[in-house]
Amino acid sequence: MIPAKICGITRLADALAAAELGATAVGFVFYARSPRCIEVAEAARIGEKLLPHIARVGVFVNPDLQTLISTAKNAGLTHIQLHGEEEVALCQASPLPVIKAVRSPVEFDAYKNVSMAAFLIDSKTQDQFGGTGQLSDWNFSRQVKAHAPAILAGGLSSSNIAQALATAQPDAVDLSSSVELAPGIKDHHKLRDFFAALRQIEIAERQSSKIF
């Protein structure tokens, strides 16, 4: 099953449900203007309850280096996701592996020759850097894969994930608003439906590859 990150976690129950259903990563938003923003101490508390193999990704928008260093340590993060318009130097100085969000080929050009753990293909509006629920450019994902692993985000759900995977061919997926009751409050029914859809895709792919 393709790796999946559930982002915008603010509650322990949601993190545990996501992990139990098959999520390989959870995301904590440390951006004050986001309705999904979480305190560092609470992110640490939630992270401590998860099994070690679950990645704990901190999401930042245009932070300074000291904020990255202190938050990574105090929240017990494993990865840093930069979701704003960060300088290349900040990406390179990060204390943890970086996932850099990009929304277009023009934006990607500034980072494509920088070593990243992955690029996250997302959408944004004038007021929001992510978590908009709007679809990203699925074809753009295939361009990014030539440089680093691609994580597809932006409006993914159980109803469109099969088409998204077939078109974008990402290495992982990332969901937030599409599996929520309200910002930061995950809908466990939607989570179950999504991971069930991923399993059905996996089963279909195995069956189609069989010769006998």
Side-chain angles (χ1 to χ4, degrees):
M1 189 167 71
I2 190 168
K5 168 173 163 269
I6 302 301
C7 201
I9 292 290
T10 63
R11 305 190 305 173
L12 175 60
D14 295 344
L16 293 175
E20 182 178 354
L21 288 166
T24 50
V26 297
F28 302 113
V29 177
F30 301 109
Y31 178 48
R33 294 180 61 183
S34 170
R36 301 172 183 86
C37 187
I38 188 172
E39 295 293 332
V40 173
E42 182 61 12
R45 185 184 76 85
I46 293 173
E48 288 172 354
K49 301 295 184 181
L50 297 173
L51 293 175
H53 71 275
I54 304 296
R56 299 149 175 85
V57 183
V59 181
F60 301 83
V61 175
N62 301 326
D64 58 65
L65 180 58
Q66 187 53 48
T67 296
L68 289 185
I69 294 171
S70 62
T71 305
K73 177 182 178 181
N74 294 329
L77 303 179
T78 62
H79 296 73
I80 283 173
Q81 180 175 315
L82 297 175
H83 220 86
E85 299 156 342
E86 295 82 10
E87 296 289 337
V88 167
L90 181 67
C91 301
Q92 295 173 319
S94 169
L96 292 173
V98 171
I99 299 167
K100 181 68 187 82
V102 289
R103 294 92 175 173
S104 68
V106 172
E107 187 176 354
F108 178 55
D109 279 344
Y111 304 100
K112 66 181 181 182
N113 294 320
V114 181
S115 178
M116 302 285 186
F119 285 99
L120 184 138
I121 292 80
D122 201 1
S123 59
K124 72 173 181 178
T125 66
Q126 186 174 359
D127 301 320
Q128 293 177 269
F129 283 93
T132 65
Q134 297 183 10
L135 297 182
S136 59
D137 184 344
W138 293 351
N139 291 311
F140 175 42
S141 172
R142 300 173 72 168
Q143 301 174 35
V144 169
K145 285 186 62 172
H147 298 268
I151 304 172
L152 186 66
L156 299 178
S157 67
S158 59
S159 63
N160 65 18
I161 188 60
Q163 182 182 359
L165 295 183
T167 303
Q169 300 180 7
D171 299 288
V173 294
D174 186 309
L175 289 83
S176 183
S177 61
S178 65
V179 288
E180 287 183 332
L181 292 167
I185 308 299
K186 302 308 178 193
D187 184 324
H188 293 200
H189 294 291
K190 291 180 179 179
L191 284 173
R192 282 193 288 272
D193 289 346
F194 179 76
F195 282 101
L198 283 187
R199 290 189 183 89
Q200 287 301 314
I201 294 168
E202 182 183 30
I203 291 170
E205 289 176 345
R206 287 179 180 175
Q207 291 175 340
S208 66
S209 65
K210 287 182 179 179
I211 298 175
F212 301 108

